[in-house]
Amino acid sequence: MNSDLLAPLDLAFWNIESPEHPMHLGALGVFSARSPAAGAHAADLLAARAAAVPGLRMRIRDVWQPLAFGGATREPAPDFDPLEHVRLHAPTADFHAVAGRLMERPLERGRPPWEAHVLPGEDGCSFAVLFKFHHALADGLRALTLAAAILDPMDLPARKPRPEEPAKGFLPDVRKLPGFIKDTVSDVGRALDIGASVALSTVGVRSSSALTSEPSGTRRTAGVVIDLDDVHRVRKAQGGTVNDVLIAVVAGALRRWLDERGDGSEGVAPRALIPVSRRRPRTAHPQGNRLSGYLMRLPVDDPDPLARLHTVRTAMDRNKDAGPNRGAGAVALLADHVPALGHRLGGPLVSQAARLWFDILVTSVPLPGIGLKLGGNVVTEVFPFAPLARGQSLAVAVSTYRGQVHYGLVADAEAVPDLDVLAKAITAEVETLITACEA
């Protein structure tokens, strides 16, 4: 496998990382164990299979060559050892307690930036695997592909091979120059539009101090499982999409949580960043991040659950009409206009500016509809974890898997010691929405 330069957004993720704010994605898969030794067997399988997956051999190395000065490249690690990446831990009764401590540890940057931690359950009836992938190595879809490669093979429908794309040089093809100039001018206008939208998004409604904090470098995780049929009941009664309902649930849960902890929800409408994938699976580069996003105010201060849902639905419809290439949520697109050295020098400054852009991340992570297995042991729950931006206390990731919705919560452990209260509030909010729809 040859080396390739990191795309601008990948390079940005690589350079904004700090010890207190590692930029890795996570997913905690809980398995039913066929025997008390299933966890240890799973660790052996993961290590053996990882050796045969080319994408897991890739490290990230700085580049100081002309035309790529200050950039970085993915390249095969010459001394790749899967045993350095797959670790078997002592049995535990609380998978999330261990996952939180593991999520706060940055991945080692000198070797392929991923890890798989196997956590046997004390009851002998279950075990969990925490996967960690650096955002510069993989986005959510790519991370799923890499993880699936070391799980048991899935019976997927055959896909036609994707045609090879011609290698791209440092300069555009002269035959495409008129279109290139036109696109460049359009990009400049879009960048100005995004910048103006970001400035306007900081004006007006207050957020909550519970969602922002000085970084402690600590992490806590929690997971919530709700029935997808319950979400569909609300959607069918009120219209909109499943995603609208899931975001509205977050808004309602935040309201309950803030009121219960005494911070109060009056006047609170935090800015939520909703990432949007711009990847086209059959044509896009298989490893580069292709992300934009929508920015919206969560109606935390509204006491009416159905009104909150209506507000979310309206805001999401407005974002979709505008498209993912404009507006304050599309800041990630500006990474394409920054030279490699600019990402390296400006990374620390950009990481500190995240709290000026949004207050909370609410992201969706795709999962296959079929059952996942490892060593014949079935995955029963999957909790996705998003990176926590500097100055922010909480991030929410959501996945649907086999008829259930899984919320994965990541928080600064010192700023949010009551993350379990927020988790319970998510369940309560779903019940409230169902009751309101039936009234």
Side-chain angles (χ1 to χ4, degrees), residues 340-353:
L341 188 59
H343 280 296
R344 182 172 299 277
L345 299 177
L349 181 61
V350 171
S351 69
Q352 295 182 37

Side-chain angles (χ1 to χ4, degrees), residues 8-261:
L9 188 54
D10 297 339
L11 188 61
F13 286 134
W14 188 245
N15 284 303
I16 66 177
E17 182 173 63
S18 68
E20 295 79 17
H21 287 278
M23 289 302 299
H24 53 251
L25 311 168
L28 182 68
V30 180
F31 297 75
S32 60
R34 301 167 68 183
S35 73
H41 178 55
D44 291 339
L45 280 176
L46 292 174
R49 293 171 178 175
V53 180
L56 296 178
R57 293 175 167 270
M58 303 300 282
R59 67 177 181 180
I60 296 176
R61 186 177 63 84
D62 293 337
V63 175
W64 300 103
Q65 298 173 355
L67 300 181
F69 192 78
T73 182
R74 289 188 201 87
E75 61 180 31
D79 54 351
F80 174 67
D81 182 357
L83 295 179
E84 293 180 341
H85 300 264
V86 179
R87 298 164 190 175
L88 178 64
H89 294 258
T92 178
D94 189 339
F95 295 139
H96 279 286
V98 180
R101 293 192 294 270
L102 293 172
M103 283 296 292
E104 70 187 39
R105 301 179 187 174
L107 293 164
E108 189 169 324
R109 293 169 71 92
R111 61 191 185 197
W114 68 274
E115 292 174 352
H117 297 269
V118 181
L119 316 175
E122 281 188 351
D123 58 7
C125 299
S126 63
F127 67 91
V129 179
L130 174 67
F131 289 102
K132 294 168 57 178
F133 294 96
H134 199 287
H135 218 326
L137 179 70
D139 61 7
L141 184 59
R142 175 67 176 168
L144 172 63
T145 301
L146 291 173
I150 50 178
L151 297 177
D152 291 356
M154 295 184 289
D155 296 325
L156 297 176
R159 293 178 60 179
K160 295 180 180 180
R162 182 175 58 207
E164 290 290 330
E165 292 187 357
K168 295 182 179 180
F170 291 110
L171 297 175
D173 188 330
V174 293
R175 293 168 297 180
K176 300 179 180 179
L177 198 55
F180 175 78
I181 295 174
K182 179 181 177 181
D183 291 343
T184 299
V185 173
S186 175
D187 286 348
V188 171
R190 185 183 338 168
L192 292 173
D193 175 73
I194 293 171
S197 298
V198 171
L200 289 174
S201 73
T202 65
V203 178
V205 189
R206 79 179 182 93
S207 181
S208 170
S209 58
L211 299 178
T212 59
S213 65
E214 291 302 317
S216 71
T218 60
R219 293 291 181 271
R220 186 184 305 274
T221 72
V224 184
V225 180
I226 61 176
D227 197 321
L228 184 58
D229 286 342
D230 288 340
V231 177
H232 280 300
R233 288 168 64 186
V234 176
R235 179 192 60 79
K236 290 176 181 178
Q238 298 298 315
T241 68
V242 166
N243 201 41
D244 294 342
V245 178
L246 298 179
I247 295 171
V249 166
V250 173
L254 289 173
R255 176 182 176 84
R256 293 170 181 271
W257 175 62
L258 292 173
D259 287 343
E260 183 167 340
R261 73 191 332 240

Side-chain angles (χ1 to χ4, degrees), residues 7-9 187 278 289-290 331-339 343:
L9 188 54
D187 286 348
R278 298 172 64 244
N289 276 282
R290 299 290 296 168
V331 166
L333 300 182
L334 300 183
D336 292 340
H337 303 279
V338 178
H343 280 296

Side-chain angles (χ1 to χ4, degrees), residues 187-436:
D187 286 348
V188 171
R190 185 183 338 168
L192 292 173
D193 175 73
I194 293 171
S197 298
V198 171
L200 289 174
S201 73
T202 65
V203 178
V205 189
R206 79 179 182 93
S207 181
S208 170
S209 58
L211 299 178
T212 59
S213 65
E214 291 302 317
S216 71
T218 60
R219 293 291 181 271
R220 186 184 305 274
T221 72
V224 184
V225 180
I226 61 176
D227 197 321
L228 184 58
D229 286 342
D230 288 340
V231 177
H232 280 300
R233 288 168 64 186
V234 176
R235 179 192 60 79
K236 290 176 181 178
Q238 298 298 315
T241 68
V242 166
N243 201 41
D244 294 342
V245 178
L246 298 179
I247 295 171
V249 166
V250 173
L254 289 173
R255 176 182 176 84
R256 293 170 181 271
W257 175 62
L258 292 173
D259 287 343
E260 183 167 340
R261 73 191 332 240
D263 290 332
S265 58
E266 184 177 355
V268 174
R271 297 160 300 172
L273 176 64
I274 318 292
V276 177
S277 175
R278 298 172 64 244
R279 178 192 293 275
R280 292 176 294 174
R282 293 183 180 275
T283 58
H285 193 287
Q287 295 183 20
N289 276 282
R290 299 290 296 168
L291 291 173
S292 181
Y294 298 143
L295 197 69
M296 62 176 293
R297 293 279 186 178
L298 293 181
V300 172
D301 56 343
D302 194 327
D304 185 339
L306 296 184
R308 288 195 295 268
L309 176 55
H310 176 74
T311 299
V312 168
R313 177 184 174 186
T314 301
M316 287 299 289
D317 286 345
R318 186 166 53 246
N319 275 319
K320 292 172 186 175
D321 287 342
N325 295 333
R326 290 190 177 274
V331 166
L333 300 182
L334 300 183
D336 292 340
H337 303 279
V338 178
L341 188 59
H343 280 296
R344 182 172 299 277
L345 299 177
L349 181 61
V350 171
S351 69
Q352 295 182 37
R355 68 192 303 173
L356 302 177
W357 173 26
F358 65 97
D359 302 302
I360 183 173
L361 179 73
V362 182
T363 184
S364 177
V365 181
L367 288 177
I370 62 177
L372 301 171
K373 297 181 181 180
L374 179 56
N377 303 286
V378 177
V379 174
T380 58
E381 298 172 337
V382 185
F383 301 103
F385 299 136
L388 196 59
R390 184 178 181 87
Q392 296 172 349
S393 303
L394 177 67
V396 180
V398 192
S399 284
T400 56
Y401 175 68
R402 305 195 73 183
Q404 294 181 317
V405 178
H406 295 79
Y407 282 88
L409 310 178
V410 177
D412 185 290
E414 292 188 8
V416 187
D418 55 345
L419 189 60
D420 58 324
V421 176
L422 177 59
K424 293 176 182 177
I426 289 176
T427 302
E429 181 63 16
V430 174
E431 296 171 353
T432 297
L433 278 170
I434 292 173
T435 301

